[in-house]
Amino acid sequence: MVNSLLASTSTIYGGTYLDYLFDSLKNLYQEVEEIVFIPYARPSGITYTEYTSLAEIAFQKIGKHIRGIHTFENPVQAIRNAEGIFTGGGNSFVLVSELYNQNLIPALQEVINSGTPYLGTSAGSNIAGPSIRTSNDMPIVYPPSFATLGIVPFNINPHYLDPIPNSKHKGETRETRIKEFHQFNDIPVIGLREGSWIRIQNQQIVLKGEGLTARGFEKDKTPYEIEVETALDYLK
Amino acid sequence: MVNSLLASTSTIYGGTYLDYLFDSLKNLYQEVEEIVFIPYARPSGITYTEYTSLAEIAFQKIGKHIRGIHTFENPVQAIRNAEGIFTGGGNSFVLVSELYNQNLIPALQEVINSGTPYLGTSAGSNIAGPSIRTSNDMPIVYPPSFATLGIVPFNINPHYLDPIPNSKHKGETRETRIKEFHQFNDIPVIGLREGSWIRIQNQQIVLKGEGLTARGFEKDKTPYEIEVETALDYLK
């Protein structure tokens, strides 16, 4: 019964916040008037209020209201009553710490699995997998756990980057990092390029995005490209 | 009494493992015959044995022996008895997990503060700061803590990368990530570019590296460049 959209990024190059997703968001939130926004990931350290305003400006363009979860007296109850939910990007460690701090993980799992429309971008997509162990973020705070919602049976690596040809930099490539992940973890990983998203609807998990492939990583397999419109339910 | 060399990377573009540091390593390890190597960070998931061989091949060139800590029955005792220590790069989360697992943090702090020569590269340098909260690595395992050795009073960001001009990628730059760190943490951060290192000797902490500056980050200050040979003791 999950009805969700998990995007690699909120904004693509040359675009404005969420604009490339508007058509899909109208569909996701078709029966929703007010969306509860989770601003905990605080990109560049902006405040919850500033971040909520950004989301509000974008959603006004498709006739939806936004209310920040921090403005509710009881955040767990806010999630239980929400018509729709959106978790914005930023720092996954900060986001997950505050979700645990507010005891929101079980409530989110419950309502999203019961069909409350859920949008995640970047860190907000990352938490839809079983853990943030494939986050790209800097571990600036220590969360009580890396375990997250498990709405999809694989981990997501947002903002997936291909190795830069002829790079002189000796830091690990994204592919190397995900291979290291599979030395210690069994679950598959989807490297989701900017402009790609995953749509979960009618009990199917489908890769979306204009003309983009995603990169699939399974333990002990060679990484491979996944075409748009591929059903990802085979990944377990 | 600390006698240590903390390098951004083990290998610079076009070079072989550690070769750009050989002169400095002869000085660091001048009274050392056998160096205890900590291979726990396992870059690309290689085994402890494979990783130790890499270090052995490099150190043979300057007449030093390497022995992997995993070959000792009692790793804590191995550190206490070590003439010199080297922690190689790889994944900081994996490294720190195993350091805690083997109860090595207090032993390392004790002997390094008492003058046992210590070399760190990349993740091995990262752990010389108070925490791995400025690591670039993927959090593929969940360590019991992010707290590390605190041999220097600031955090290190190894493989420091400047923003790529005209990039179309929307992931955070390194500078943005470190600014986010300072929303939640007070200690300074040194962005150490590949080819740079920090030398701690005679109670001074000095930036080294051929013609390279490092990037300094202090809470509520504009980031700034630091010249080679600058004493970093002012960072507290």
Side-chain angles (χ1 to χ4, degrees):
Chain A
M1 286 287 290
V2 176
N3 181 19
S4 176
L5 193 158
L6 307 173
S8 174
T9 183
S10 61
T11 315
I12 55 174
Y13 182 73
T16 61
Y17 194 64
L18 297 174
D19 65 351
Y20 77 105
L21 289 171
F22 279 162
D23 283 345
S24 307
L25 295 180
K26 282 181 205 163
N27 176 275
L28 174 71
Y29 291 128
Q30 53 188 293
E31 287 164 31
V32 176
E33 283 187 18
E34 185 178 86
I35 298 157
V36 174
F37 179 58
I38 301 178
Y40 294 155
R42 298 184 57 194
S44 302
I46 61 171
T47 66
Y48 294 163
T49 305
E50 287 166 341
Y51 200 11
T52 303
S53 297
L54 279 181
E56 174 73 20
I57 289 163
F59 273 100
Q60 272 173 357
K61 297 176 188 167
I62 58 167
K64 307 290 178 191
H65 293 289
I66 287 282
R67 184 168 168 192
I69 194 166
H70 59 291
T71 67
F72 289 87
E73 221 169 280
N74 184 332
V76 170
Q77 207 53 50
I79 289 300
R80 289 204 192 287
N81 296 339
E83 295 173 64
I85 301 164
F86 168 32
T87 305
N91 186 290
S92 308
F93 297 88
V94 175
L95 170 59
V96 167
S97 293
E98 193 58 18
L99 290 177
Y100 275 99
N101 192 28
Q102 299 287 352
N103 194 29
L104 282 169
I105 300 277
L108 281 166
Q109 285 171 321
E110 193 183 308
V111 301
I112 297 168
N113 281 317
S114 305
T116 303
Y118 177 81
L119 168 65
T121 59
S122 191
S125 295
N126 218 313
I127 62 166
S131 81
I132 57 162
R133 291 185 181 203
T134 53
S135 167
N136 308 309
D137 298 335
M138 197 170 261
I140 60 179
V141 299
Y142 182 70
S145 168
F146 288 166
T148 47
L149 303 175
I151 291 159
V152 287
F154 47 80
N155 261 15
I156 291 170
N157 178 252
H159 302 282
Y160 183 76
L161 266 183
D162 294 290
I164 298 162
N166 309 316
S167 171
K168 295 181 180 177
H169 190 70
K170 305 298 279 187
E172 296 87 348
T173 65
R174 197 67 64 82
E175 185 158 318
T176 299
R177 291 167 193 271
I178 297 172
K179 281 185 189 164
E180 289 178 4
F181 169 84
H182 276 140
Q183 293 278 343
F184 296 91
N185 301 272
D186 294 336
I187 60 167
V189 179
I190 298 290
L192 207 55
R193 296 187 176 91
E194 293 182 350
S196 292
W197 67 93
I198 291 168
R199 186 74 172 93
I200 308 135
Q201 197 177 16
N202 306 323
Q203 307 198 327
Q204 271 224 317
I205 307 174
V206 180
L207 178 66
K208 299 281 182 180
E210 296 293 324
L212 282 167
T213 55
R215 190 116 181 118
F217 298 88
E218 294 180 70
K219 192 180 168 81
D220 300 328
K221 279 196 187 175
T222 305
Y224 55 94
E225 292 297 305
I226 302 171
E227 299 294 326
V228 172
E229 302 300 336
T230 300
L232 301 174
D233 306 79
Y234 73 94
L235 292 167
K236 292 274 146 85
Chain B
M1 286 286 290
V2 176
N3 181 18
S4 176
L5 192 158
L6 307 173
S8 173
T9 184
S10 61
T11 314
I12 54 174
Y13 181 74
T16 61
Y17 194 64
L18 296 175
D19 65 351
Y20 77 105
L21 290 170
F22 280 161
D23 282 346
S24 307
L25 295 180
K26 281 181 206 162
N27 176 275
L28 174 70
Y29 291 127
Q30 55 190 291
E31 286 164 31
V32 176
E33 284 188 18
E34 184 178 86
I35 298 157
V36 174
F37 178 59
I38 302 180
Y40 294 155
R42 297 183 57 196
S44 303
I46 61 171
T47 65
Y48 294 163
T49 306
E50 287 165 342
Y51 199 11
T52 304
S53 296
L54 279 181
E56 174 72 21
I57 289 164
F59 273 99
Q60 271 173 358
K61 296 175 188 168
I62 58 168
K64 306 291 177 190
H65 293 289
I66 287 283
R67 183 169 168 192
I69 193 166
H70 59 290
T71 66
F72 289 87
E73 222 170 283
N74 184 332
V76 170
Q77 208 51 50
I79 290 300
R80 290 204 192 286
N81 297 337
E83 295 172 63
I85 301 166
F86 167 32
T87 305
N91 185 290
S92 308
F93 297 87
V94 174
L95 169 59
V96 168
S97 294
E98 194 58 19
L99 290 177
Y100 275 98
N101 191 29
Q102 300 287 351
N103 194 28
L104 282 169
I105 300 277
L108 281 166
Q109 285 172 321
E110 192 184 310
V111 301
I112 297 168
N113 282 317
S114 304
T116 303
Y118 177 81
L119 167 66
T121 60
S122 191
S125 295
N126 219 312
I127 62 167
S131 81
I132 56 162
R133 292 184 180 205
T134 54
S135 167
N136 308 310
D137 298 335
M138 197 170 263
I140 60 178
V141 299
Y142 183 71
S145 167
F146 288 166
T148 49
L149 304 175
I151 293 158
V152 286
F154 46 80
N155 260 15
I156 291 170
N157 178 251
H159 302 282
Y160 183 75
L161 265 183
D162 293 290
I164 299 162
N166 309 315
S167 171
K168 296 181 180 178
H169 189 70
K170 305 298 278 188
E172 295 87 349
T173 65
R174 196 66 63 81
E175 184 157 319
T176 299
R177 293 167 192 272
I178 297 172
K179 281 185 189 165
E180 290 179 3
F181 170 84
H182 276 139
Q183 292 279 342
F184 297 90
N185 301 273
D186 294 336
I187 60 168
V189 179
I190 298 290
L192 207 55
R193 296 187 176 91
E194 293 182 351
S196 291
W197 66 93
I198 292 168
R199 187 74 172 95
I200 307 134
Q201 197 178 16
N202 305 325
Q203 307 198 329
Q204 270 224 319
I205 307 174
V206 180
L207 179 67
K208 298 280 182 181
E210 295 294 323
L212 281 167
T213 55
R215 191 117 181 116
F217 298 88
E218 295 181 70
K219 192 179 170 80
D220 300 327
K221 278 197 190 175
T222 305
Y224 55 94
E225 291 297 305
I226 302 171
E227 300 293 326
V228 172
E229 300 300 336
T230 300
L232 301 174
D233 307 80
Y234 72 94
L235 292 168
K236 290 275 147 83

